Amino acid sequence: MILRTLKAAGVRAKGEKISRKKLFRNNLGLYVMLLPGLIYILVFKYLPMYGITIAFQDFNIFKGVMGSEWVGMANFEKMFSDPEFYQVFMNTLIISISKLVVLFPLPIVAALMINEIHTAWFKKTTQTIIYLPHFISWVIVAGIFTSLLSPSSGLVNMLITALGGEPVSFMMSNDWFRKVLVFSDGWKETGYGAVVYIAAIAGVDQQLYEAARVDGAGRLRTIWSITLPSIATTIVLMLILRLGSILEAGTEQILAMYNPTVYQTGDVIGTYVYRMGLGQQQYSMTTAVGLFNSVVGFILVVSGNFFSKKISGSSIW
């Protein structure tokens, strides 16, 4: 009996192997098209990961990775004993959580509002207008907001002065700089983020809306009972991905907009790595910081996926 069972399993395994070979031959063109993407990921994503070893070395740029001395966890001990790192870490958390709480719902709201526009030309025009800022570089955005918020000639401060107030140095104030970061990020990326949700809404079965109208449901009730539940999986997916980059905090944005007067509230992990790594050539220390950042991001993604699967049944994997 056991021998017959093993033979039958072997026949099934062999047949499965043959069918896979046949499947590969039949789709050879698709696999060839996939090859450049796989090579790109291997060369530019996986091979550079060898540089992580710098975090465990006293890296010397002249000796290289292979010749530098190994120091174990010394760079991590130095990182966690540095008071400046804790300040940077807290800044990163505050800015990232502020952006998550304030900005994450905005693309969803924008997509819902655009979906309720029934005039085709106005709908396309509105979508294009809110989508265009995404294509403006952060350097230009920084210039725009610096001009608008200038304490001497900025439009915002001119309005404040006209209303009897005192000019505010938004870009040089530790009280205002984080708020400027959140607002400018929302202005630039809300339209782009809404595209994913607009696509998800477009896939909702229209018969559900027709049934809701027959039952007398208004627009708000339709959105709450049909649209939002239908795109809940997409919302969860985007939230999990957002959690993975929570320690990124918008490094490119901050580099373009901050200055030494707001380091206390605006210096984040990304800018800290830039200043210490390139400015002071502390390559090992900053690699350790970057590795810490990546590990925390990975843990957040896995944790978010786990709890999402437990609570809502939706997950990435």
Side-chain angles (χ1 to χ4, degrees), residues 98-112 190 197 242:
S98 299
K99 287 184 176 182
L100 181 65
V101 173
V102 176
L103 302 183
F104 183 77
L106 291 185
I108 303 173
V109 174
L112 293 173
T190 296
Y197 300 107
R242 188 69 178 264

Side-chain angles (χ1 to χ4, degrees), residues 59 61 274-286:
F59 180 72
I61 192 172
Y274 177 81
R275 289 191 301 104
M276 303 298 289
L278 296 181
Q280 301 185 23
Q281 298 181 352
Q282 296 188 27
Y283 302 113
S284 297
M285 169 70 169
T286 51

Side-chain angles (χ1 to χ4, degrees), residues 213-236:
R213 284 193 291 268
V214 170
D215 290 339
R219 287 193 175 186
L220 291 178
R221 184 63 180 177
T222 302
I223 291 172
W224 183 259
S225 299
I226 297 177
T227 308
L228 286 176
S230 298
I231 64 172
T233 302
T234 303
I235 295 174
V236 169

Side-chain angles (χ1 to χ4, degrees), residues 234-246:
T234 303
I235 295 174
V236 169
L237 171 64
M238 299 304 295
L239 179 60
I240 293 173
L241 294 176
R242 188 69 178 264
L243 287 175
S245 59
I246 199 168

Side-chain angles (χ1 to χ4, degrees), residues 39-117:
I39 294 174
Y40 172 82
I41 293 174
L42 176 65
V43 174
F44 294 100
K45 301 296 182 180
Y46 281 92
L47 291 182
M49 289 177 66
Y50 182 73
I52 292 174
T53 56
I54 296 176
F56 305 94
Q57 296 178 330
D58 182 12
F59 180 72
N60 187 305
I61 192 172
F62 299 104
K63 295 180 179 179
V65 177
M66 303 300 294
S68 297
E69 179 184 356
W70 292 90
V71 295
M73 303 296 291
N75 290 312
F76 293 93
E77 293 173 1
K78 180 181 178 181
M79 176 182 72
F80 288 117
S81 62
D82 184 4
E84 186 178 4
F85 172 75
Y86 281 98
Q87 179 66 49
V88 167
F89 182 70
M90 291 305 300
N91 289 341
T92 305
L93 284 180
I94 292 172
I95 293 173
S96 294
I97 293 174
S98 299
K99 287 184 176 182
L100 181 65
V101 173
V102 176
L103 302 183
F104 183 77
L106 291 185
I108 303 173
V109 174
L112 293 173
M113 294 177 67
I114 291 173
N115 185 60
E116 293 301 316
I117 301 175

Side-chain angles (χ1 to χ4, degrees), residues 23 44 68 73 100 142 148 166 178 193 207-208 215 238 280 295 302 315:
L23 183 65
F44 294 100
S68 297
M73 303 296 291
L100 181 65
L148 288 174
E166 294 292 329
R178 290 172 179 165
Q207 293 181 357
L208 296 175
D215 290 339
M238 299 304 295
Q280 301 185 23
V295 170
V302 173
S315 61

